[in-house]
Amino acid sequence: MKILITGGAGFIGSHLAEKLLESGHEVFVIDNLWTGKLSNVEHIQNNERLHLIVDTILNESVMNELVFKIDHVYHLAAAVGVMNIMDHPVETLDINVKGTEVVLRLANRFKKKVLIASTSEVYGKHVESDLREDDDRILGSVKKRRWAYACSKTLDEFLSLAYFDEKKLPVVITRLFNTVGPRQTGRYGMVLPNFVQSALLGKPIKVYGDGTQSRSFTHVHDVTGAITRLMDEPKAEGDIFNVGSGYEITINELAEKVKAMTGSNSEIEHIPYEKAYGPGFEDMQRRCPSIEKIRDLIGFEPSYDIDAIIQSVIDYFKE
Ligand code: UDP
C-alpha cells in the first residue's frame, strides 16, 4: 500500500514510518520540520520505499499530488508541546485548523481513508479518571492560551465527523494521551524527556506546580501499533478512540521514579506554573483514559508499563 504520513519526521510520525516500512508499505512523509527533525528519519532515509517531502501541509498543490497517489493518510502534522503552543498561538491555530481542513478536503476529493491524530487535551479540565470518548468537554477561558490547542483539535474532530457523515469519507479519529519514548525532545516542554535529561546530567528535576497533577503515559510503540490497527479496522470508521493507558501517575511520583531509576543525585525542585509557562497558563490536574472502547474493538492493551517506558527513555538519552 502507499501511505502518506503528515508530520512523519516528528517523534510519533517517524516511529510510524519505520513500522509501516517494516510491514512492506511505500511511505510518503511530508514534514515542514517545525518540530520534526531530519535526524528522526536518518536511519530509514536510504530505504527506497521512503519518500521524504520537506514542505508544509498548507501547500495545497504538493498535497494534492501526494493525496492523489496514496491509499491511506495518517494525519499527524500539528503544533506540538505545551511550551510551543504558548509561544506560537498563531502558528498553532493555523496548522491545526487549516492544515486538517486541507487534508480532509483533498482526501475527500480522491476518497482516501484518513486517520486523524487528535489529543486527550480535548477533554479539558476533568478531574475524574476513566475519560470516555463521548464525555463532555470542560474547557477554560478563551483568555487562557492553552485552550486554543484543545479547541483547534476539537474542530478537527468535528470536521472529520462531518466528512464521514455528509460525504461518506472513511475517517478514524484517535485521541492520543501522553505518548512518550525514544526521540521525543524535551525542548517543547514534555515532561519525561526533561526529567530524564536533568536526572542524567545531575541538574534539578523541575516539577511544575505542586506535582500532584497526574497523567497516564503510553510508549510510542504501543501507540503506533494501536493506530495502525485502527486504520485497518473498518468498524473504527466514523468513530473516536482513546489511545492510552489506564495507569495513572502523579508528576511528583514520576520525578521520584526517574531519579531512582537513573541513580541520580538531582534535587526535585517545584516551580510555579507562571514561571514555567508565562501568564495565561492553566494545567490539567488529571488526565487518564478509559481504554475500554479500543480494547473491545481491537483488543488493545499497552505492552510497556511505566518502568519499561522510563527505562526506554533513559537508554535513549544515554546513547
Ligand atoms: N511538567 C513538569 N516539568 C517539566 C515539564 C512538564 O512538571 O519539565 C508537568 C506539566 O506541567 C504537566 C505534566 O508535567 O502537568 C505533563 O506535561 P507535558 O507537557 O509533558 O504534557 P501535557 O501537559 O500535555 O499533559
Side-chain angles (χ1 to χ4, degrees):
M1 226 181 230
K2 291 183 178 164
I3 298 178
L4 173 63
I5 308 174
T6 70
F11 157 55
I12 302 175
S14 64
H15 283 280
L16 178 63
E18 205 173 309
K19 182 177 175 61
L20 293 170
L21 287 170
E22 275 166 18
S23 307
H25 297 293
E26 188 166 354
V27 176
F28 295 78
V29 160
I30 182 162
D31 201 303
N32 66 354
L33 305 181
W34 178 17
T35 55
K37 286 186 290 189
L38 289 178
S39 59
N40 285 342
V41 285
E42 214 167 31
H43 60 296
I44 47 174
Q45 74 180 9
N46 290 332
N47 189 317
E48 58 190 22
R49 283 181 285 108
L50 178 77
H51 312 277
L52 177 63
I53 299 99
V54 177
D55 209 331
T56 166
I57 55 169
L58 299 176
N59 186 338
E60 285 205 42
S61 58
V62 168
M63 283 295 285
N64 193 74
E65 207 175 299
L66 281 170
V67 177
F68 172 72
K69 66 180 164 203
I70 54 79
D71 303 295
H72 284 173
V73 187
Y74 288 87
H75 177 42
L76 271 58
V80 288
V82 178
M83 291 287 183
N84 209 21
I85 286 148
M86 293 298 287
D87 292 345
H88 302 283
V90 174
E91 286 88 342
T92 295
L93 289 168
D94 229 33
I95 204 75
N96 289 8
V97 178
K98 287 192 208 150
T100 304
E101 197 273 322
V102 168
V103 169
L104 288 169
R105 184 156 39 79
L106 295 178
N108 185 54
R109 179 175 294 165
F110 304 115
K111 289 289 182 244
K112 303 296 174 71
K113 187 166 180 176
V114 186
L115 181 138
I116 300 282
S118 183
T119 167
S120 55
E121 287 256 336
V122 302
Y123 289 104
K125 300 192 276 184
H126 277 272
V127 284
E128 68 275 26
S129 64
D130 266 2
L131 296 170
R132 287 171 183 272
E133 287 83 350
D134 49 8
D135 278 347
D136 288 341
R137 292 165 301 118
I138 308 177
L139 301 188
S141 157
V142 175
K143 288 281 197 175
K144 303 242 159 112
R145 198 175 275 181
R146 175 185 195 144
W147 301 111
Y149 178 69
C151 283
S152 64
K153 285 293 198 173
T154 304
L155 198 59
D156 291 352
E157 293 192 11
F158 274 117
L159 193 60
S160 304
L161 292 179
Y163 269 101
F164 177 79
D165 290 335
E166 204 181 319
K167 315 279 184 193
K168 309 295 171 230
L169 179 71
V171 183
V172 179
I173 299 166
T174 55
R175 287 189 185 147
L176 309 188
F177 284 66
N178 297 62
T179 304
V180 287
R183 285 185 219 143
Q184 185 177 42
T185 165
R187 194 178 309 154
Y188 309 110
M190 277 81 157
V191 66
L192 189 55
N194 274 315
F195 279 8
V196 169
Q197 275 177 298
S198 300
L200 290 175
L201 295 169
K203 291 183 176 172
I205 298 174
K206 294 182 179 170
V207 172
Y208 302 155
D210 67 4
T212 60
Q213 70 272 30
S214 65
R215 294 293 186 269
S216 68
F217 294 91
T218 315
H219 194 278
V220 65
H221 289 164
D222 282 329
V223 170
T224 55
I227 66 178
T228 49
R229 285 167 67 199
L230 284 173
M231 175 68 116
D232 295 335
E233 172 52 65
K235 289 196 191 112
E237 287 170 19
D239 214 343
I240 303 173
F241 295 86
N242 288 339
V243 179
S245 138
Y247 179 80
E248 188 177 2
I249 184 168
T250 68
I251 300 305
N252 281 333
E253 287 164 344
L254 185 73
E256 293 289 356
K257 247 186 192 301
V258 168
K259 184 172 158 148
M261 288 177 67
T262 49
S264 170
N265 294 322
S266 293
E267 298 281 317
I268 296 176
E269 200 181 298
H270 287 83
I271 313 264
Y273 284 123
E274 291 271 301
K275 211 171 153 198
Y277 297 103
F281 182 78
E282 188 169 26
D283 201 10
M284 286 160 191
Q285 185 60 21
R286 205 168 176 195
R287 201 160 64 193
C288 184
S290 157
I291 54 170
E292 201 179 314
K293 193 168 168 184
I294 188 171
R295 187 188 285 137
D296 285 352
L297 188 66
I298 60 164
F300 174 73
E301 212 57 69
S303 63
Y304 286 74
D305 65 14
I306 190 68
D307 285 21
I309 288 174
I310 295 171
Q311 194 57 51
S312 82
V313 175
I314 294 172
D315 294 344
Y316 170 71
F317 281 111
K318 274 192 172 166
E319 248 178 52

